[in-house]
Amino acid sequence: MLKQIQEVAQFIRAFNTPLPTVGIILGTGLGALVNEVTIEVEIPYETIPHFPVSTVESHSGRLILGTLAGKSVLIMQGRFHYYEGYSMQQVTFPVRVMKWLGIQTLLVSNAAGGLNPAFSVSDLMIINDHISLLLPENPLRGQLPAEFGDRFPDMSDPYSPDLIEKALTIADELALPLQQGVYVSVTGPQLETRSEYRLLRQWGADAVGMSTVPEVITAHQMGMQVFGCSVITDLCIPETLEKASLPKILAAAAVAEPKLTALIKRLVGRL
């Protein structure tokens, strides 16, 4: 895998754009941030050697190189999920490529179901911790190259307290309401039953989704600073549960998208 990572990094460097210092992964319905980017290069995933291809209709499947808020960025407009049939090594492959390009900070976003009764649709939730229910798969499983970092990385602070503090300050400046909470990652692609939602809430989760945690674990192992934000696209309260649908989820994401864009843009400018 190390050789493949090096080949992809070389492929990206060949475009002769400024090397990115910030990596950004955009989740379901949250691709509009690229409209704020001065784009140097757009690379479809299918043209990148060894790269997976996104099969989710709401994920554009492009790698964007450019400038945002004065910083050189690499943006994944669409991610990969375990439920698509990819291994955890494939899901997290782009994060390892980012590190090989010299990226030290990773910003991740996702669409998630709200488990906390205090949340509303289209809220933004800063992720301050997570729970992984993606067992038995794990991106760190097996014998990995020493260059990837500690085999047993400490996960007591997977999300940078410094970046969280910056985001809270920015939210105050923008008068932007923000929630904070714990994100739980499940395999999917089915949504949870009422009883499962109840159990996840009892375990301390505030939002549930099908992504993010593998990328965060991988980035943390490789010594990257991580900031995560969920957009609450539907409410998963067992007593008032309504049937979810992709159009409703995308509509809720669209309402939150300008808020997330403003937050991420200003956060990148302060890195």
Side-chain angles (χ1 to χ4, degrees):
M1 181 168 53
L2 180 58
K3 185 173 183 292
Q4 293 179 337
I5 290 168
Q6 292 169 335
E7 288 174 357
V8 175
Q10 184 178 3
F11 172 84
I12 293 171
R13 288 190 187 107
F15 286 94
N16 292 320
T17 62
L19 287 179
T21 58
V22 182
I24 303 173
I25 300 176
L26 298 175
T28 298
L30 302 173
L33 178 70
V34 299
N35 297 330
E36 301 293 322
V37 177
T38 301
I39 297 175
E40 301 283 344
V41 178
E42 299 182 28
I43 315 172
Y45 290 164
E46 60 266 23
T47 68
I48 304 173
H50 312 302
F51 229 66
V53 176
S54 181
T55 65
V56 181
E57 63 181 84
S58 56
H59 290 243
S60 298
R62 295 183 302 164
L63 206 62
I64 308 291
L65 290 163
T67 304
L68 176 67
K71 302 292 193 302
S72 294
V73 297
L74 184 153
I75 298 177
M76 288 183 66
Q77 198 176 23
R79 58 152 51 87
F80 311 113
H81 305 80
Y82 183 57
Y83 69 73
E84 294 178 76
Y86 292 121
S87 70
M88 283 297 179
Q89 300 294 352
Q90 290 173 302
V91 168
T92 58
F93 183 82
V95 176
R96 299 200 185 279
V97 171
M98 288 181 188
K99 179 64 175 182
W100 233 255
L101 290 169
I103 288 172
Q104 297 295 327
T105 303
L106 177 66
L107 312 181
V108 295
S109 68
N110 60 53
L115 296 165
N116 190 322
F119 290 178
S120 299
V121 171
S122 300
D123 276 356
L124 299 184
M125 184 194 85
I126 291 178
I127 306 173
N128 55 28
D129 206 349
H130 69 231
I131 300 169
S132 177
L133 294 182
L134 294 168
L135 304 174
E137 274 279 8
N138 186 303
L140 309 189
R141 182 174 176 268
Q143 189 67 39
L144 299 175
E147 292 90 340
F148 287 2
D150 189 352
R151 192 175 192 183
F152 304 101
D154 178 86
M155 293 295 292
S156 56
D157 272 322
Y159 302 88
S160 165
D162 178 59
L163 294 181
I164 291 174
E165 191 60 37
K166 281 184 168 66
L168 292 172
T169 298
I170 291 167
D172 285 342
E173 294 169 358
L174 297 174
L176 180 65
L178 281 183
Q179 307 284 3
Q180 289 194 65
V182 177
Y183 175 85
V184 58
S185 186
V186 296
T187 58
Q190 83 285 353
L191 301 184
E192 289 68 46
T193 67
R194 294 174 191 269
S195 295
E196 288 168 339
Y197 285 137
R198 191 173 291 113
L199 178 63
L200 295 175
R201 181 62 186 150
Q202 289 172 350
W203 283 353
D206 296 288
V208 57
M210 304 171 191
S211 67
T212 302
V213 170
E215 296 107 302
V216 172
I217 291 173
T218 301
H220 202 67
Q221 183 197 31
M222 301 191 80
M224 301 166 76
Q225 276 200 115
V226 178
F227 174 80
C229 188
S230 294
V231 171
I232 305 303
T233 52
D234 58 308
L235 298 180
C236 305
I237 313 302
E239 293 74 22
T240 57
L241 192 64
E242 297 180 2
K243 289 188 181 297
S245 69
L246 184 59
K248 286 183 180 179
I249 288 171
L250 293 179
V255 171
E257 208 167 25
K259 298 183 289 184
L260 180 64
T261 296
L263 176 66
I264 295 296
K265 182 178 178 180
R266 193 166 291 199
L267 181 59
V268 168
R270 297 191 186 179
L271 297 177

